[in-house]
Amino acid sequence: NVFRYLGDYMHLAGVIVLLLTMAKNQSCAGLSMRTQVIYFLIFVTRYLDLFDHNQTAYLVFFKLTYIATSALSLVVFTQMQGTYERQKDTCNIVIILAACFVAAILLTNELTVLETLWTYSEFLEGFAMVPQYIFCYRDTTKDSGVTMYVIFLGGYRVFYALNWIYKKYKMPQYMDVQSWIGGLVDIAFFLDYLNYRFRGASILRSMVLRVDEKINEISDKVELKVLGTQSSNNFSKDGQQIRRRRGAGAGDEEGLEV
């Protein structure tokens, strides 16, 4: 149906805007590398069915394009490491990856490799943009290319939700709970981002940043206990981050980066 195609093309447009923005700015500023890592994992786990059965040229094109462009974006990040604003990309994706994997094991329709990984990718997609949203919550700059990228990536999920509603209307027996859960999470964050970006108001920002800070605080304590060092993350009231690297038992700051 038309909603599915609009969603596909909006997603593709978002990927193109991402790559063009990085090429134009010669920079990764304003962009979350962790979101790109999640998207790459989504595509390589979801599209294993390319090896399983024959598919239409349309599906093959989009699936290969998504895999290739997500890999390309990670390559660009590695080539432009000097412009990557790591101090704003604070989302701990290990928590997301682990929680989604557990959910996939428990809620998959069939406990097979392909079906479990497909379910995993569906849950994971609901949180793929969360690192980017957290980045935007901490970032005071408003690059138009980054804004367009986020709008396209969030907007395509809205069209997918309309696609699910249309399919449910046409086929009452249709059920895809895994996709619906991921879609609702993603749309909630997207709508809050639009409100924050264009009106300066946000329902989720304070809560999300508090949770992010608490997770990083716990992660730092574990890192200090296991490795003897920690990345101490301190945050100002406006969400900007100050990172300090400390050794176990060290009282002095070895470095300060705002």
Side-chain angles (χ1 to χ4, degrees):
N1 62 67
V2 66
F3 300 119
R4 163 72 183 276
Y5 288 115
L6 287 173
D8 286 343
Y9 291 124
M10 183 168 279
H11 188 178
L12 182 60
V15 172
I16 292 171
V17 168
L18 167 67
L19 296 174
L20 289 178
T21 298
M22 297 171 83
K24 173 180 172 289
N25 296 343
Q26 287 294 295
S27 169
C28 302
L31 297 167
S32 167
M33 184 176 180
R34 299 182 185 196
T35 280
Q36 304 311 313
V37 170
I38 294 178
Y39 269 122
F40 179 73
L41 291 174
I42 288 169
F43 298 139
V44 296
T45 54
R46 180 177 301 172
Y47 298 148
L48 291 172
D49 62 356
L50 286 168
F51 304 101
D52 187 50
H53 57 272
N54 293 328
Q55 301 178 44
T56 65
Y58 176 88
L59 288 176
V60 172
F61 167 77
F62 272 93
K63 290 179 179 183
L64 291 178
T65 299
Y66 291 150
I67 292 172
T69 53
S70 63
L72 178 59
S73 69
L74 290 176
V75 171
V76 174
F77 264 97
T78 60
Q79 295 296 315
M80 298 182 178
Q81 275 291 332
T83 65
Y84 172 42
E85 299 172 295
R86 191 183 307 273
Q87 73 275 13
K88 298 176 185 175
D89 200 7
T90 60
C91 181
N92 191 324
I93 63 172
V94 174
I95 302 296
I96 294 175
L97 298 178
C100 289
F101 186 75
V102 171
I105 293 292
L106 296 176
L107 299 175
T108 184
N109 292 328
E110 297 177 25
L111 201 56
T112 62
V113 173
L114 285 180
E115 185 67 23
T116 301
L117 289 177
W118 180 88
T119 304
Y120 177 57
S121 74
E122 288 296 306
F123 283 124
L124 202 55
E125 191 166 14
F127 297 91
M129 288 295 288
V130 170
Q132 182 65 57
Y133 292 133
I134 291 176
F135 193 114
C136 291
Y137 287 149
R138 298 196 186 283
D139 196 16
T140 56
T141 60
K142 295 182 179 180
D143 182 89
S144 58
V146 174
T147 299
M148 286 180 60
Y149 156 68
V150 175
I151 289 175
F152 277 126
L153 266 292
Y156 99 83
R157 295 291 281 175
V158 173
F159 280 108
Y160 263 47
L162 294 174
N163 164 58
W164 298 327
I165 293 170
Y166 178 81
K167 286 175 69 175
K168 185 66 176 176
Y169 173 74
K170 288 291 186 179
M171 300 180 293
Q173 73 277 12
Y174 165 68
M175 291 289 291
D176 191 357
V177 177
Q178 297 92 335
S179 297
W180 297 348
I181 293 173
L184 287 174
V185 171
D186 204 1
I187 290 171
F189 274 101
F190 174 59
L191 294 178
D192 188 72
Y193 166 79
L194 292 179
N195 196 37
Y196 176 70
R197 175 64 177 81
F198 295 106
R199 298 183 59 212
S202 170
I203 297 173
L204 299 177
R205 181 178 184 271
S206 296
M207 179 193 69
V208 169
L209 291 182
R210 280 199 302 270
V211 171
D212 184 53
E213 290 161 17
K214 180 57 67 173
I215 290 174
N216 278 297
E217 181 183 325
I218 294 171
S219 176
D220 284 344
K221 290 179 180 178
V222 171
E223 183 182 348
L224 180 62
K225 191 163 187 173
V226 174
L227 302 178
T229 62
Q230 75 174 115
S231 300
S232 181
N233 304 313
N234 296 325
F235 301 86
S236 61
K237 292 181 180 179
D238 63 357
Q240 295 294 322
Q241 183 194 38
I242 301 173
R243 294 183 66 86
R244 295 183 178 90
R245 172 65 64 175
R246 295 177 182 169
D252 298 329
E253 299 170 6
E254 296 180 357
L256 180 65
E257 183 182 8
V258 180

